[in-house]
Amino acid sequence: MNPQLILRQTWALFVDAYRELNARKLFWITMILSGLVVGIFATLGISDRGISIFGWHPAFLAQVTTDVIAPSVFYKGMFANLGIGLWLTWIATILALISTAGLVPELITGGSIETMLSKPIGRLRLFLTKYLTGLLFVALQVAVFSAGSFLVIGIRGGVWEPAIFLAIPIVVVFFSYLFSVCALLGLVTRSTIAALLLTGLCWAMLFVVNLADQTLVFLETNQRLIIEEREDRLELMERNAVRLAQIREHDSVEAAEAAGYTPTPEDLASANPFVGTQRSLLESDRESLDDLSFWTGLVVGLKTALPKTSETTALLERNLIDLSELPKPDEDAPVDLELTQANQDIVVDDEELSFAVQERLRSRSVWWIVGTSLIFEGVILAIAGLIFARRDF
């Protein structure tokens, strides 16, 4: 077949499907809502008095000032976490799924497919054109939102950040994971409602798996920090116990060292009875870490075969905000020299733990996040394309 004819046919299908989406009120409702979200985003400010909303400085937001976080980082964080993390990847995605879920079911049940198939058009090309039209719907929404946010961050935050437009491919790829499942389910069930409900169920399953992963990473990281602190504490206790045993036996550390005295485990236990307790706690902590590492690896293995929705959208924050721009946790407080039963338990500083968890999650490669997710999507589309090409409608 003439390549030019193929391109003209494909373009005609694409335009027809786009007009169908464009005629739906929900498309424009979502576009207007995106503009409103950008407007609300522009009303937020940060100064040495704290965060302001429409110029009003609430008392509970007075602690977050420009001394804590730079305006550019504040606005980029708001865009990544609220604009992308809340609006585009939740509310706008639900609206987009509602708008596009009927593309495939309506094609095969509304009688239009007979007209389409009567022309020299490949079934697979017809299916993929409809699929790409749904992605165009999302791309337009994100483009409008990103352009507005780019202006807000430039004017209010004082930084013109082109990386904001990475939101377009990132959110489109994120949506494509869900839309591929929705297209397959719509093809199998021939029902828009059923496709939406089952896609929502799949999305909820992915959310649960991701929540389990993040919880395990949080617990495992916390346990690693506890072990590090426990090891430091045990080292200090043993060092102090050695000194105390040396003083007991030879009246001074120097005299004991000159005599070549080496305390026995019994001498150390006598000098500080809590050394043994700390060793037992350290062994128990290490066993707990092994258990957490096992379950974390199991969940990560499961996620490898599934689309990573949350990690995909988090890539935008990784590109916009470097960890070096964020407030760092304070240095560890010195360990109390009077080590008794009262301080056997170790509590990790919240800021230190949060920072360590962020480092752990950001260390995951883009290939693992996006590459394996696109493999999943490719398999789903291959199954849907095969069904569409072989089934009689």
Side-chain angles (χ1 to χ4, degrees), residues 72-90:
S72 59
V73 178
F74 169 76
Y75 281 103
K76 288 191 291 185
M78 292 287 291
F79 172 74
N81 293 292
L82 296 181
I84 302 298
L86 178 62
W87 167 245
L88 287 181
T89 58
W90 282 101

Side-chain angles (χ1 to χ4, degrees), residues 33-110:
L33 289 176
S34 292
L36 289 176
V37 173
V38 172
I40 295 173
F41 183 38
T43 65
L44 300 175
I46 185 171
S47 65
D48 55 359
R49 297 173 55 193
I51 296 176
S52 63
I53 305 173
F54 290 101
W56 171 56
H57 291 79
F60 65 93
L61 296 176
Q63 301 300 319
V64 184
T65 66
T66 49
D67 295 331
V68 177
I69 184 170
S72 59
V73 178
F74 169 76
Y75 281 103
K76 288 191 291 185
M78 292 287 291
F79 172 74
N81 293 292
L82 296 181
I84 302 298
L86 178 62
W87 167 245
L88 287 181
T89 58
W90 282 101
I91 303 174
T93 295
I94 292 173
L95 295 175
L97 282 173
I98 293 174
S99 297
T100 59
L103 282 175
V104 174
E106 290 173 7
L107 173 66
I108 60 179
T109 60

